[in-house]
Amino acid sequence: IIDNCNGNRCWGYVTFEDKYPPVINCEDIEIICVEEPGLYIPFTDPTFIGLPQITDNCDGALDNLGMSYTQFGNGCNKTIVRRWQTFDNYGNYSNECIQTITIRPLSFAEIFAPNPLVVLPCNTSTDPESILAYTGNISDAYAYVLNGNDTYAINGQTCNIIGTFTDQILEACGPHCHGNKKVIRTWQFIDWCEGIISLPVTQLLKSADLEGPTFILKDTTVTTSPWYCAADFDLPRPWEL
């Protein structure tokens, strides 16, 4: 600093320190049970559920974010209480933010039945895993639950819902049909939170020969009779692919 009147000057050091702590805001949320795995993945994963909002005038608050949680209840009535806190690079600790997450079980109203008719090539297995491998469509193989853009198969037990099925196999024709058959699959579901059983849902699976055979024939050369332009000969058997 210089005095313009007499030229006197002085100097000194200025230290800038961050004395303001970060601030955390977290909201209570409710999710359905199929989303629960998203609660336990790393914070940096974009599918993590329930990340709080952090404001800070300097750096470090997000990198130093910490959380502990306590779980209450069971699969029919589960609550998770999280405690969030962080600090910045200057050691200023934020407030502690308490977040309550309610995990809701599934209901029958959220379950979609599998497609009522599925047509498969002959000799294709009709178990749900094989159907999914062939068609690539979960709804052909299983009942399912939709949550946004995600589809969850009811494969055995999913959350509080247990899916079971029984099959009635009908041969489509005689013994030489080579795998042609129809399967009447009857699905039922149990909600073990409510202790109730759904009405049966019927699905028809048709395993049919949908393609004709293909053959390869060898070229054949024969000689005609010297007296007239004709010949009697036997063609070789075709090759079946």
Side-chain angles (χ1 to χ4, degrees):
I1 298 174
I2 300 174
D3 188 330
N4 291 329
C5 295
N6 54 31
N8 292 331
R9 67 183 62 195
C10 66
W11 57 270
Y13 294 99
V14 178
T15 301
F16 294 92
E17 295 183 347
D18 179 12
K19 298 297 185 181
Y20 291 96
V23 177
I24 295 182
N25 291 307
C26 52
E27 295 182 353
D28 296 341
I29 56 177
E30 179 180 282
I31 63 173
I32 60 175
C33 54
V34 291
E35 298 177 278
E36 186 176 355
L39 299 175
Y40 311 116
I41 57 181
F43 304 159
T44 53
D45 193 305
T47 60
F48 178 82
I49 296 175
L51 190 69
Q53 182 181 8
I54 302 172
T55 56
D56 189 32
N57 60 323
C58 290
D59 298 327
L62 182 60
D63 295 334
N64 299 321
L65 180 64
M67 182 267 290
S68 63
Y69 69 90
T70 305
Q71 180 176 303
F72 302 93
N74 53 39
C76 298
N77 183 22
K78 184 183 290 187
T79 301
I80 292 177
V81 177
R82 286 171 169 172
R83 296 180 178 271
W84 295 95
Q85 194 171 31
T86 189
F87 59 92
D88 60 23
N89 290 338
Y90 291 90
N92 300 308
Y93 277 81
S94 71
N95 59 303
E96 183 182 62
C97 188
I98 298 177
Q99 180 184 48
T100 300
I101 301 173
T102 303
I103 302 173
R104 179 176 59 78
L106 292 171
S107 67
F108 285 160
E110 296 171 290
I111 298 175
F112 291 86
N115 289 336
L117 174 63
V118 179
V119 179
L120 305 168
C122 61
N123 294 319
T124 301
S125 179
T126 56
D127 63 273
E129 293 82 1
S130 298
I131 293 174
L132 178 59
Y134 174 74
T135 69
N137 189 349
I138 288 178
S139 62
D140 286 336
Y142 300 97
Y144 58 97
V145 175
L146 292 177
N147 182 50
N149 295 324
D150 297 321
T151 304
Y152 301 89
I154 305 295
N155 183 10
Q157 180 170 342
T158 302
C159 297
N160 55 304
I161 302 296
I162 299 173
T164 63
F165 65 86
T166 57
D167 286 346
Q168 180 182 359
I169 300 176
L170 306 174
E171 296 298 333
C173 52
H176 301 293
C177 284
H178 304 295
N180 288 3
K181 62 183 178 181
K182 294 180 181 179
V183 178
I184 300 174
R185 176 161 294 167
T186 303
W187 292 87
Q188 277 196 291
F189 307 95
I190 302 171
D191 182 341
W192 54 259
C193 286
E194 298 294 332
I196 56 177
I197 300 174
S198 72
L199 294 173
V201 176
T202 301
Q203 180 184 33
L204 178 62
L205 309 173
K206 295 177 64 176
S207 181
D209 186 356
L210 305 176
E211 297 182 6
T214 302
F215 297 92
I216 293 179
L217 295 174
K218 290 183 178 180
D219 294 336
T220 302
T221 302
V222 297
T223 302
T224 62
S225 168
W227 309 109
Y228 51 91
C229 189
D232 295 325
F233 60 93
D234 293 328
L235 286 173
R237 289 181 176 271
W239 294 352
E240 183 177 355
L241 295 182

